[in-house]
Amino acid sequence: MRTKIDISKKFDLNKISFDLSGEINESAKAIVKDHDKRLSFGQGVNGKQMAALKPSTIHSKRNSGYSKPRIPLYATGTMKNIEITKKANKASQEARIAPDEDRRKIGAYHQEGIKPHKIVAKNAKVLYPLFNSKGKKFGAKSADHPGTPAREWFGISVEVEKNLLKRMGRQIERRLKNA
């Protein structure tokens, strides 16, 4: 009677390619594409509609000729347009995505929201143009800013994260099977 069973398998670790830079870069592209699509419809990173804009903001954007003035963070395109700032390679298995350099501070305000505060004219006699709820322009020495609600616009949506992790898992499994 046999009592010993051999269930071992030989692995040649030299056959395994740990360079996943191609997959990482494809993942970065998928995140950028998802971000662009979400913001075009006014959706945050959670997939839900972002807090609506105030009527005065909509009037201001409409008067400036922006397309889709009702959609938060869309009108100028600067928050919508994120870019891959670093691509992964064999030596560095990392990709980075960011908004334009000059919009990062503003992006943080939108991501976290702003508490109500007072704005006072410093370099001019009055703040102008300010807009009332009907879109009419006016000037003032100071204004009470009502605050800005948090609009979580930057990040990876749950759906895209799941798909990317599944794809990456399949790639790793495939490479282990070929070892």
Side-chain angles (χ1 to χ4, degrees), residues 61-118:
K61 289 183 178 201
R62 189 172 286 132
N63 288 343
S64 297
Y66 292 126
S67 65
K68 300 185 180 182
R70 293 181 171 277
I71 297 177
L73 306 177
Y74 183 83
T76 64
T78 53
M79 302 313 275
K80 190 170 99 51
N81 299 331
I82 62 171
E83 57 189 24
I84 299 171
T85 58
K86 180 183 180 204
K87 289 187 175 184
N89 58 45
K90 192 172 185 173
S92 174
Q93 304 278 311
E94 173 186 27
R96 290 187 189 165
I97 301 165
D100 289 340
E101 181 91 30
D102 61 334
R103 304 307 280 180
R104 290 181 190 168
K105 190 173 182 181
I106 293 168
Y109 292 144
H110 284 290
Q111 188 83 359
E112 298 164 13
I114 304 169
K115 292 181 181 180
H117 59 282
K118 188 173 209 76

Side-chain angles (χ1 to χ4, degrees), residues 20-155:
L20 295 169
S21 59
E23 290 80 5
I24 292 168
N25 290 329
E26 286 302 313
S27 296
K29 287 178 192 174
I31 293 166
V32 169
K33 186 176 178 182
D34 176 64
H35 175 84
D36 182 58
K37 181 181 168 188
R38 281 187 300 97
L39 258 59
S40 295
F41 292 104
Q43 295 174 338
V45 73
N46 61 4
K48 296 179 182 171
Q49 287 299 117
M50 287 189 267
L53 296 173
K54 298 207 179 295
S56 59
T57 304
I58 294 168
H59 284 294
S60 172
K61 289 183 178 201
R62 189 172 286 132
N63 288 343
S64 297
Y66 292 126
S67 65
K68 300 185 180 182
R70 293 181 171 277
I71 297 177
L73 306 177
Y74 183 83
T76 64
T78 53
M79 302 313 275
K80 190 170 99 51
N81 299 331
I82 62 171
E83 57 189 24
I84 299 171
T85 58
K86 180 183 180 204
K87 289 187 175 184
N89 58 45
K90 192 172 185 173
S92 174
Q93 304 278 311
E94 173 186 27
R96 290 187 189 165
I97 301 165
D100 289 340
E101 181 91 30
D102 61 334
R103 304 307 280 180
R104 290 181 190 168
K105 190 173 182 181
I106 293 168
Y109 292 144
H110 284 290
Q111 188 83 359
E112 298 164 13
I114 304 169
K115 292 181 181 180
H117 59 282
K118 188 173 209 76
I119 302 171
V120 180
K122 289 181 183 175
N123 299 327
K125 292 181 182 180
V126 294
L127 299 169
Y128 185 84
L130 299 174
F131 295 89
N132 66 15
S133 61
K134 294 179 182 170
K136 196 147 176 101
K137 293 180 184 179
F138 68 95
K141 289 184 180 184
S142 66
D144 290 322
H145 189 287
T148 303
R151 293 184 175 98
E152 293 186 44
W153 63 280
F154 189 75

